[in-house]
Amino acid sequence: MDQSLVSLTQRQNTLQGEVEGNEPLPYRITIDFDDGGITNTHCTCPYSFEGWCKHIVATLIACIEQPDTIEQRSTLSQLLDSLNLVQTQGLVQALVEENPALIESVDFYVSRLAQSSKTQVSSKSKRPKRQTSINPDVYKRRVRDIIRITVQHWEYGGEDDGALYELNDLAADALAFVEQGDGHNALAVMEAITEACISYWDDVYDMLGMGPGEFDLDLDPAWTEAILSTDLTTDEILEWQEKLEEWQQELGSFSMALEALRQGWDYPPLVRVLQGEITELGAWSGEAPSWADSFSQVRLTILKRQERYEEYLYLAQAEGHMEEYLAMLGQLGRTDEAIDEAAQVMTNLSEAKSLAEILREQNKLSQALDIAMQGLRFKEESYAPYSTGRYDFAVWTSELAEGLDAQELALEARVVAFKAQPSLQEYQAVESLVSDWPKTRAELLKHLRKGDEWTAREAKVDIFLYEELVDDAIASVSFSTYSYIQPKLVLRVMDAAIENHSDWVIKVAQREAAKIIDAGKAKDYDLAVKWLQRVQQAYMAQNKASTWYRYSQKIIATHIRKRKLTGLMKDQGWL
């Protein structure tokens, strides 16, 4: 086993390893897998580039080359199942004693368990009793603190407004009450958050003159879910309606929440849909509003929570939420029906991805691969030619296909991954899978040449230089402003072009050096010297040492008073 690999264990479908690195403590590696291959990897090292870090690779190599070194261990569930109540309590107490900060997590979890277990309460059921008492001031103080911290940050010259987005996260606390069947407390939390936002927003407005809408503060979905999850009396409906109408004058639209109060679950068009009567109008009596999709998503969330699965399917189908519709069929184990429906209604990659992932979780690997390939074959959106989502799913599909020994499909998916997010790593991954490399190579290079997105610029340089296609590499960095965006790419191309394209190197490097030196940009003199180094190397490649000497001496004579520049040139032996 690799000497840097400290330990290697397997707990059912999870491999865990410890690998020594640059830190005092070993890095921890986690690799999840199924019959189709690897599903997820994680390492605690700081590596943040494409692909696996070397610690993950070392762990996988050890698994392949020395499987006998893998120690088989029990899963967490198996370990806990072996303990009785007293032993479990002792375990938690020991862990908290070892790490006192864990008490906060235990406290939070126990407080949630102390509420009623999740109960499914339909819209027509008897109003549930109030199960906990919340202190609204706790939430108001939290809103106040978030706003004040943000404003203080601005006062000290900071520009980040990330803390304000925590206001939306606070709504998750309200929805936690909803999930416990305690809608009235959820509404109380939302009221506290909303009133506090209005009370303390003046501090933000005084500082920047900006309202809540300009920070994407949107409490409407959370309000909508809380309302539709709570059995309200007529008086309560009127009371909340009055408050929301007043609040939206200062905090932005509450259109969905107000519509939720109006419709409830007894809205005739909705009732017909939930009974399976699906028409072109869906769950609306007339033209649907612009936020109809978000509104129906909230309803779907509630129906799923209440395990009203047939009604969920009817509503998803009626409102055109095919991704949710297919995914629910898969989650219900109605695999054949989901696959048959997918052939009729699936129209995009996102829908295929949701269903394929569920099928894989159910260990229906060949069906998952079939659906995934259908999704990848949908035409790519014209507005997102280099899509991270498409790339990630294509890699997922390719690895699944490899695990099932479906090499042609693995190759097809890997080509999609390359086209979605070109990189040298993906280029080489395709190369490792293909039998007719010259043909596929020509296809990938053609795709790379016709693309003009800046996100692929580094990939172009990497791949063209890997293939020793210097002319293509030059073309990929040869437009007027690019050298200022990433001069390192141009410098790399120059290093490869000096021998056979020295005229281009001289022309571009002299131009870029002059831009810096003539403008007196002292902070960029180091870069200017790098351009001059390429000029020198190109002249030497042409056997024109005298020409370089005259050029460098002219720069020195013209800019002799720029001490930092002349000092750097002296270090190079030019002075």
Side-chain angles (χ1 to χ4, degrees):
M1 187 164 65
D2 187 332
Q3 291 183 352
S4 65
L5 190 60
V6 178
S7 67
L8 184 58
T9 62
Q10 179 178 347
R11 299 182 188 273
Q12 202 164 335
N13 282 10
T14 299
L15 286 164
Q16 294 175 319
E18 290 188 344
V19 178
E20 292 179 346
N22 295 323
E23 301 296 328
L25 296 177
Y27 297 123
R28 294 187 61 84
I29 294 88
T30 302
I31 301 170
D32 298 317
F33 63 93
D34 59 18
D35 292 342
I38 295 172
T39 59
N40 183 56
T41 63
H42 176 71
C43 180
T44 57
C45 76
Y47 180 82
S48 60
F49 303 97
E50 293 179 353
W52 294 332
C53 68
K54 61 184 180 181
H55 311 109
I56 292 174
V57 173
T59 304
L60 290 171
I61 290 174
C63 292
I64 295 170
E65 296 183 349
Q66 297 173 295
D68 293 342
T69 63
I70 303 174
E71 182 182 359
Q72 299 294 330
R73 304 287 294 276
S74 300
T75 65
L76 178 60
S77 296
Q78 292 168 338
L79 291 171
L80 294 178
D81 287 344
S82 67
L83 302 178
N84 59 34
L85 176 60
V86 174
Q87 291 170 325
T88 303
Q89 290 175 333
L91 170 64
V92 174
Q93 290 168 351
L95 290 174
V96 171
E97 184 177 345
E98 183 178 327
N99 184 359
L102 280 177
I103 188 62
E104 295 301 328
S105 297
V106 174
D107 191 352
F108 176 81
Y109 188 69
V110 170
S111 68
R112 285 285 179 261
L113 290 178
Q115 299 175 39
S116 67
S117 59
K118 294 183 180 180
T119 55
Q120 310 306 326
V121 182
S122 72
S123 60
K124 295 182 179 180
S125 67
K126 191 174 180 179
R127 170 178 166 176
K129 292 182 179 180
R130 198 175 171 91
Q131 299 172 37
T132 60
S133 297
I134 65 113
N135 181 359
D137 292 338
V138 171
Y139 294 92
K140 291 181 180 180
R141 286 195 296 269
R142 181 59 184 146
V143 171
R144 179 199 63 193
D145 293 343
I146 290 172
I147 291 177
R148 286 183 176 177
I149 289 171
T150 303
V151 171
Q152 288 173 0
H153 177 68
W154 290 335
E155 288 175 342
Y156 284 99
E159 296 181 358
D160 182 29
D161 57 12
L164 282 179
Y165 294 97
E166 293 182 28
L167 297 174
N168 285 325
D169 295 338
L170 275 182
D173 287 351
L175 298 183
F177 285 103
V178 166
E179 292 174 358
Q180 299 296 331
D182 190 359
H184 285 82
N185 260 341
L187 291 170
V189 172
M190 289 305 304
E191 180 178 21
I193 294 170
T194 305
E195 288 182 337
C197 283
I198 293 172
S199 297
Y200 297 108
W201 198 267
D202 286 346
D203 293 341
V204 178
Y205 193 85
D206 291 344
M207 187 75 181
L208 293 180
M210 299 173 72
E214 294 172 273
F215 289 95
D216 294 327
L217 177 61
D218 185 10
L219 302 177
D220 198 15
W223 266 107
T224 303
E225 186 170 344
I227 288 169
L228 290 175
S229 300
T230 309
D231 196 15
L232 299 171
T233 66
T234 301
D235 288 343
E236 287 172 329
I237 291 172
L238 292 174
E239 180 183 348
W240 286 120
Q241 179 180 343
E242 182 179 352
K243 289 182 177 181
L244 286 167
E245 287 175 347
E246 179 181 347
W247 290 333
Q248 72 177 354
Q249 296 178 16
E250 299 187 60
L251 207 60
S253 174
F254 287 105
S255 299
M256 287 197 303
L258 288 168
E259 188 66 20
L261 288 170
R262 187 179 75 85
Q263 289 188 10
W265 289 93
D266 297 324
Y267 182 53
L270 173 66
V271 172
R272 289 194 290 270
V273 166
L274 297 183
Q275 292 173 348
E277 184 181 331
I278 299 173
T279 67
E280 291 183 0
L281 291 176
W284 299 88
S285 59
E287 184 177 354
S290 59
W291 37 262
D293 280 350
S294 298
F295 191 66
S296 56
Q297 285 282 9
V298 172
R299 287 198 187 278
L300 290 173
T301 298
I302 297 169
L303 291 172
K304 184 177 181 179
R305 182 186 303 125
Q306 297 176 357
E307 299 182 4
R308 297 159 64 184
Y309 298 129
E310 284 301 323
E311 292 172 297
Y312 179 104
L313 291 171
Y314 288 142
L315 182 60
Q317 192 175 14
E319 293 294 283
H321 294 290
M322 292 300 105
E323 180 176 339
E324 290 77 5
Y325 174 70
L326 294 172
M328 178 56 72
L329 285 175
Q331 289 171 4
L332 294 174
R334 293 157 61 172
T335 306
D336 292 340
E337 187 178 350
I339 293 172
D340 290 342
E341 285 287 318
Q344 303 297 321
V345 304
M346 195 166 67
T347 60
N348 58 58
L349 182 143
S350 182
E351 294 167 357
K353 180 176 182 292
S354 294
L355 179 55
E357 289 175 344
I358 289 170
L359 291 172
R360 184 168 185 174
E361 290 172 2
Q362 297 175 347
N363 207 34
K364 300 181 184 299
L365 303 183
S366 60
Q367 296 95 325
L369 179 58
D370 180 59
I371 293 295
M373 292 305 304
Q374 290 182 49
L376 291 179
R377 289 165 183 160
F378 285 120
K379 186 177 180 181
E380 190 172 8
E381 297 87 347
S382 59
Y383 61 84
Y386 291 121
S387 166
T388 300
R390 186 176 180 84
Y391 167 78
D392 291 339
F393 187 55
V395 172
W396 181 91
T397 304
S398 180
E399 292 174 350
L400 173 61
E402 283 194 78
L404 296 175
D405 201 26
Q407 294 302 313
E408 290 187 8
L409 296 180
L411 172 61
E412 181 182 344
R414 209 81 207 196
V415 169
V416 172
F418 173 83
K419 292 181 177 180
Q421 191 170 306
S423 69
L424 178 58
Q425 176 186 336
E426 287 305 319
Y427 187 81
Q428 292 171 326
V430 174
E431 185 178 6
S432 69
L433 290 171
V434 70
S435 56
D436 186 3
W437 174 238
K439 179 180 178 181
T440 305
R441 173 182 180 272
E443 176 189 349
L444 300 187
L445 292 175
K446 180 180 179 181
H447 175 82
L448 205 59
R449 290 185 183 108
K450 73 177 183 180
D452 196 31
E453 285 70 22
W454 68 269
T455 53
R457 197 65 52 185
E458 186 169 359
K460 287 188 174 187
V461 171
D462 290 341
I463 295 168
F464 289 144
L465 293 184
Y466 171 75
E467 291 287 5
E468 298 183 359
L469 298 171
V470 179
D471 286 330
D472 285 310
I474 290 173
S476 69
V477 297
S478 292
F479 58 97
S480 58
T481 61
Y482 190 70
S483 59
Y484 278 108
I485 299 173
Q486 283 204 9
K488 67 176 184 179
L489 292 182
V490 185
L491 291 167
R492 283 182 56 204
V493 175
M494 285 183 175
D495 290 339
I498 282 171
E499 290 297 326
N500 298 316
H501 299 78
S502 54
D503 286 340
W504 172 79
V505 174
I506 292 169
K507 177 183 176 181
V508 174
Q510 285 182 339
R511 181 191 70 200
E512 298 305 319
K515 286 180 181 178
I516 297 171
I517 296 170
D518 292 347
K521 297 179 179 179
K523 65 182 181 65
D524 293 330
Y525 284 163
D526 287 335
L527 177 58
V529 168
K530 290 179 181 179
W531 294 122
L532 293 176
Q533 287 173 337
R534 272 61 178 189
V535 176
Q536 180 187 27
Q537 293 166 11
Y539 274 132
M540 295 305 177
Q542 294 179 349
N543 295 316
K544 294 182 178 179
S546 59
T547 306
W548 157 251
Y549 179 77
R550 290 194 298 272
Y551 170 73
S552 62
Q553 294 307 303
K554 182 179 179 181
I555 292 176
I556 293 170
T558 305
H559 302 282
I560 192 66
R561 294 186 178 181
K562 295 175 180 174
R563 295 182 180 179
K564 180 179 178 180
L565 176 64
T566 54
L568 291 170
M569 295 185 73
K570 184 177 181 180
D571 292 341
Q572 296 295 319
W574 300 335
L575 183 62

